């Protein structure tokens, strides 16, 4: 059922048309500046032009979606913070005190926080979307993180939230997450998709020391052995089910359905990007709709970005998640759009071109 | 006379007090996020705290100042664009069609364009500050770019504009420029101050090909020989006078006087940063007030930033000038300030700390 729903989204993702790219470059080259001198702003404007089929909206309507869930694998001692922090941080989001709240207020970005699988009753929190699939994913050191049904339910939540965002007119969305333990899932996914070593893609998360980081890598090593043996060619969806997490699955569905709706997407840090990579593995055209907000300090992040061919907009040595780096990239994307729409041309301004 | 005025500014620049740095770090470490996880946002917040002596303003009042002048050295064929483009672009600024106009409108930043030495009568342009010292600097391939009096007059213009900005309550200012030929001056200044080779610090400017870039480097080589012989230890102020430009001198005075007023400054690309480097050579404490907005594509820029110990906030492959990269960095600086002021602490939000 849901897999049919998912197939529908994938089919609806329009392939990028190079005609919009060429038209955008021609327009950019006529603006009153040396050719190419606005660097990344120009490539961002070009990509926006492709996403919006040559018709850049007057105003980008911005939103951030933060997907929260707990992770059974935390029982293996892979995180510096106790699992309770997931629920505590969702409360912090609902009270407006977290980094993502502050950044969204500053940058005129609507914020939606969705509980996909937090291991606590958060039903009294009015400002949270209640989409709980389960009280945390299963411990993937011992069994698949999700059953087929749980995976399908989490994907469906993402698809439904994308539909809401589309109906609300959002056209630029940052995708963030909160989930103690979720860098462990992201590392496992990165190792499987990018074929880099587990050691290379496993970082210190919220601040593990080197021996704890090595233990975390060993947990991942054993889990990949358990689920896939020596085989690193498992389908992305099965990787997601076995070693992902509920919020990661919901983000995967969200990315796919947003792209189907023609929405420009910004992935954030390592976990948000791992979900994007699963989505791109399933539907390669999705990458045309995707901006990499920043390059985080988690070492696996750059491998995922390189694997998708994405160049991060910002490099600010951040490693917080929550969508923070993606929202921080919004002013650059917004700037690219207004440059494209509002700058004078050489002809209109009476400025001489290069000799 | 003006040199007394300049000395006064230099004396008024308060040395950074480490007490504010330590207090800022303690506050940042109590916010609901893993320690250091906001990366560059945290170091920016710390620097703001030092600049504003622990008292971050509720709202950063932003401005961009663009200093325009022509350069006699253009007669040597160092630029791809004709000298007339300086005046044409100032007209474009006054009509709101240039990149800097668009970016300032987008980011709620007041814009002042000052004619320090454009080789055209711009007196009819109402939205330009008329501070012309001379119709362009002298051709430094043959004589000093400025006489002592012209240098003093240009520095004074910068000091006066800083006073105006201060009286208008501006506390975060991007410093930009427009002047066909001015990367030639900036390269000459960078070679003298940083002791790197002329070839290393000379780039293609608005788009020279390699043979034209080499001719430009040879013009600089001959000029440094003419003014300084084999000596690379000339005082920064004399370097500015001999191979600088009117807008570069005005920016130097502006940086010094803004720092004297306690204003946070953002240098932009290669030329704006060359002026900042002259100011830092004269008054090293100035660097505490200075953010590097971005790292441009002009190769000399990174040498100047490294020489001042500044880490650029953005890396967007830009090379336009006008203050564009500095204004684009403002949302990051603004974000750092609101993160510092508005985020909840672990205690206030009831979130557990790391184990």
């Amino acid at each position: 059922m849901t897999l049919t729903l998912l197939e529908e989204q994938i089919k609806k993702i329009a392939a990028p048309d190079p005609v919009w790219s060429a038209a955008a470059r021609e327009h950019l080259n006529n603006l009153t500046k040396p050719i190419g001198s606005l660097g990344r702003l120009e490539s961002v404007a070009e990509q926006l032009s492709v996403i919006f089929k040559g018709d850049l909206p007057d105003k980008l309507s911005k939103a951030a979606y933060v997907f929260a869930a707990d992770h059974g694998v935390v029982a293996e001692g892979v995180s510096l913070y106790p699992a309770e922090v997931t629920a505590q941080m969702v409360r912090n989001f609902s009270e407006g005190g977290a980094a993502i709240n502050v950044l969204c207020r500053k940058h005129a970005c609507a914020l939606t926080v969705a509980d996909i699988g937090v291991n606590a009753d958060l039903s009294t929190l009015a400002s949270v979307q209640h989409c709980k699939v389960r009280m945390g994913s299963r411990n993937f050191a011992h069994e698949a993180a999700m059953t087929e049904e749980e995976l399908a339910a989490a994907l469906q939540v993402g698809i439904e939230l994308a539909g809401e965002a589309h109906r609300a007119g959002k056209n630029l969305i940052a995708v963030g997450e909160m989930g103690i333990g979720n860098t462990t899932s992201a590392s496992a996914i990165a190792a499987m998709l990018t074929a880099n070593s587990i050691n290379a893609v496993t970082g210190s998360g919220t601040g593990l020391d080197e021996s704890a980081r090595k233990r975390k890598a060993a947990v991942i090593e054993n889990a990949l052995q358990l689920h896939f043996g020596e085989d690193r060619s498992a389908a992305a969806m099965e990787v997601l089910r076995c070693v992902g997490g509920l919020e990661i699955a919901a983000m995967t569905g969200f990315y796919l359905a947003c792209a189907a709706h023609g929405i420009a997407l910004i992935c954030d840090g390592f976990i948000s990007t791992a979900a994007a990579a699963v989505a791109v593995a399933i539907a390669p055209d999705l990458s045309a709709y995707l901006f990499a907000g920043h390059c985080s300090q988690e070492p696996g992040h750059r491998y995922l970005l390189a694997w998708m061919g994405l160049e991060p907009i910002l490099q600010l040595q951040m490693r917080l998640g929550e969508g923070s780096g993606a929202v921080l990239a919004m002013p650059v994307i917004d700037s690219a759009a207004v440059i494209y729409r509002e700058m004078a041309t050489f002809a209109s301004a009476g400025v001489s071109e290069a000799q």
Side-chain angles (χ1 to χ4, degrees), chain A:
Chain A
M1 188 277 302
T2 302
L3 287 183
T4 313
L5 187 60
L6 193 75
E7 303 269 299
E8 277 169 24
Q9 307 307 314
I10 294 167
K11 266 189 224 144
K12 273 175 60 189
I13 299 174
D17 187 337
V19 72
W20 303 120
S21 205
R25 286 243 60 88
E26 188 181 340
H27 176 67
L28 288 162
N29 289 347
N30 282 325
L31 302 179
T32 49
K33 57 172 185 54
I35 287 184
S37 62
L38 283 173
R40 195 74 173 92
L41 285 189
E42 299 194 28
S43 55
V44 168
E46 187 180 333
Q47 189 175 344
L48 288 172
S49 182
V50 172
I51 294 171
F52 297 115
K53 301 186 168 58
D55 189 20
L56 260 72
D58 272 353
K59 195 168 167 291
L60 292 170
S61 179
K62 296 175 285 189
Y65 277 73
V66 178
F67 297 80
D70 274 301
H71 290 257
V73 74
V74 164
E76 307 300 314
V78 292
S79 178
L80 196 66
Y81 285 82
E84 290 72 39
V85 167
T86 306
Q88 290 167 349
M89 283 302 297
V90 172
R91 287 200 178 85
N92 195 14
F93 296 150
S94 77
E95 285 158 16
I100 190 63
N101 300 101
V102 172
L103 293 172
C104 283
R105 285 197 297 269
K106 180 72 207 171
H107 298 296
C109 175
L111 173 61
T112 297
V113 177
D115 172 9
I116 316 297
V118 180
N119 188 18
D121 179 5
L122 301 177
S123 58
T124 57
L125 298 181
S127 62
V128 167
Q129 292 249 26
H130 302 286
C131 318
K132 205 191 297 282
V133 172
R134 190 174 188 271
M135 301 288 265
S137 56
R138 297 158 193 271
N139 182 350
F140 71 69
H142 302 299
E143 62 182 320
M146 291 167 272
T147 63
E148 297 281 356
E149 293 68 28
E150 289 157 3
L151 171 65
L155 287 164
Q156 182 162 348
V157 166
I159 294 168
E160 286 167 2
L161 289 172
E164 281 181 25
H166 176 60
R167 285 188 294 278
K170 300 303 173 190
N171 52 24
L172 178 65
I173 301 186
V175 182
E177 45 56 51
M178 176 72 220
I180 296 298
N182 63 9
T183 60
T184 305
S185 272
S187 293
I189 291 169
M192 289 296 291
L193 293 185
T194 73
N196 282 284
S197 76
I198 292 167
N199 188 55
V201 298
T202 303
S204 59
T206 51
L208 296 178
D209 63 21
E210 179 56 14
S211 71
R213 188 196 69 82
K214 281 190 176 145
R215 277 201 307 279
K216 174 176 164 185
V219 167
I220 296 168
E221 180 83 54
N222 292 336
L224 295 189
Q225 192 64 40
L226 169 70
H227 297 295
F228 309 109
E230 296 301 320
D231 184 15
R232 291 286 183 274
S233 67
M237 195 60 88
E238 184 64 3
V239 172
L240 176 62
R241 188 181 76 80
C242 290
V243 297
L246 294 158
E247 85 283 40
I248 299 177
M251 284 191 281
T252 299
F254 186 77
Y255 279 116
L256 291 166
C258 280
H261 292 302
I263 293 170
L265 292 158
I266 316 173
C267 61
D268 181 39
F270 187 34
I271 302 104
S272 160
T273 302
V278 172
V280 166
I282 296 168
D285 281 340
L286 170 67
S287 64
Y289 297 82
L290 195 55
F291 294 98
H294 74 128
C295 186
S296 93
Q297 291 295 84
E298 267 290 298
H301 193 203
R302 65 187 65 240
Y303 292 105
L304 287 171
L305 294 176
W307 182 78
M308 289 191 281
L310 295 181
E311 188 195 345
I313 293 174
L314 302 175
Q315 284 125 35
L316 294 170
Q317 294 96 50
M318 293 168 68
R319 51 179 173 82
L320 177 64
E322 302 181 3
S324 55
V327 170
L328 259 182
M330 286 178 164
V332 176
I333 297 171
D334 249 338
S335 297
V338 293
I339 284 285
Y340 191 86
R341 282 195 313 261
E342 299 184 13
M343 262 184 81
T345 61
F346 283 104
S348 73
V351 173
S352 307
E353 300 203 42
Q355 291 169 318

